[in-house]
Amino acid sequence: MAAPTEALMKQTILDSIRGVPDFPKKGILFWDVTTILLNPVAFQYTIDLMAARYKDMDVDVIAGFEARGLIFGAPLALALKKAFVPLRKPGKLPGAKVTEEYITEYSVDTIEMHADAIQPGQRVVLIDDLIATGGTLNAGINLVKKVGGVVVEAACVIELPFLNGRSKIQGTDLFVLVEKEGE
């Protein structure tokens, strides 16, 4: 049996993502990637496509954002045999931390990382489920830089291009698997 094409893999991922209107507030169409987890083939394709992207790159660390970036980042790190660093919401990590506040499309939030999780000069790929306005990814870029790490690239399962999040992370390459439109 022939291996699936990249186009088929991406279509399977796209077809597995559910749109939830008016969540978390009225007027927002929330693209729910947790439904990818209900389809083991789509979940495997997601990790396989990201692993193929980074397998030959000089990367030391995969860093994933709470919550859904953790779901995709940890198995990617295992597939690449790289360290994994969780970027968490406040109050979830013990010990010394670095923090960054940021604005999303519907809230102000903060992420934290252990201050010693990424060493100066380590090369990092940031993973999240989705890029909308770019605030979350920009905060992660700032965290990595605060501790002396180098952001190689950011990667997301979904991009919402109409929100122009790429503009907020200028200077950092962005890899996405699929695009979705909003309302």
Side-chain angles (χ1 to χ4, degrees), residues 12 37 166 172:
T12 301
L37 308 176
R166 282 179 187 258
T172 299

Side-chain angles (χ1 to χ4, degrees), residues 2 10 12 25 35 59-60 87 105 121 130 138 141 148 163 166:
K10 287 183 175 183
T12 301
K25 68 180 194 176
T35 51
V59 173
D60 303 304
L87 306 176
E105 61 275 26
L130 178 141
N138 192 53
I141 292 164
L163 291 174
R166 282 179 187 258

Side-chain angles (χ1 to χ4, degrees), residues 124-143:
V124 180
V125 172
L126 295 168
I127 304 292
D128 207 357
D129 65 323
L130 178 141
I131 180 169
T133 61
T136 306
L137 285 176
N138 192 53
I141 292 164
N142 291 339
L143 279 179

Side-chain angles (χ1 to χ4, degrees), residues 153-172:
E153 192 166 73
C156 297
V157 178
I158 307 169
E159 179 179 14
L160 306 180
F162 67 97
L163 291 174
N164 201 27
R166 282 179 187 258
S167 68
K168 194 167 263 181
I169 62 164
Q170 288 180 356
T172 299

